[in-house]
């Protein structure tokens, strides 16, 4: 699966939302040694396993 390109604002929003989920006990989707939720979210993003969809306007 090819990773969708996100701009820096979309990426920040995705990582923040995922880090919050992980901090509240959501299962981690990759094998990692990290303990900080934001670092776990970044690894998941880089692996392309996050189930987030970004909808953009049609301007």
């Amino acid at each position: 699966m090819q990773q969708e390109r996100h701009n820096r604002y979309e990426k920040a929003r995705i990582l923040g939302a995922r880090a919050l989920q992980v901090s509240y006990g959501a299962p981690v989707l990759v094998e990692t040694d990290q303990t900080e939720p934001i670092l776990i979210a970044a690894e998941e993003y880089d692996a392309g396993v996050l189930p987030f969809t970004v909808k953009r306007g049609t301007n």
Side-chain angles (χ1 to χ4, degrees), residues 6-34:
H6 299 111
N7 63 39
R8 62 182 170 173
Y9 305 105
E10 293 166 343
K11 182 177 178 181
R13 178 67 174 93
I14 291 168
L15 291 180
R18 181 60 185 154
L20 186 63
Q21 291 176 349
V22 171
S23 71
Y24 279 115
V28 177
L29 303 175
V30 294
E31 195 68 36
T32 182
D33 295 328
Q34 299 295 337

Side-chain angles (χ1 to χ4, degrees), residues 4 7 10 53-59:
E4 184 180 336
N7 63 39
E10 293 166 343
T53 302
V54 175
K55 292 189 177 185
R56 297 184 179 127
T58 57
N59 298 355

Side-chain angles (χ1 to χ4, degrees), residues 41-56:
E43 282 194 20
E44 291 176 337
Y45 182 86
D46 291 340
V49 297
L50 293 180
F52 286 93
T53 302
V54 175
K55 292 189 177 185
R56 297 184 179 127

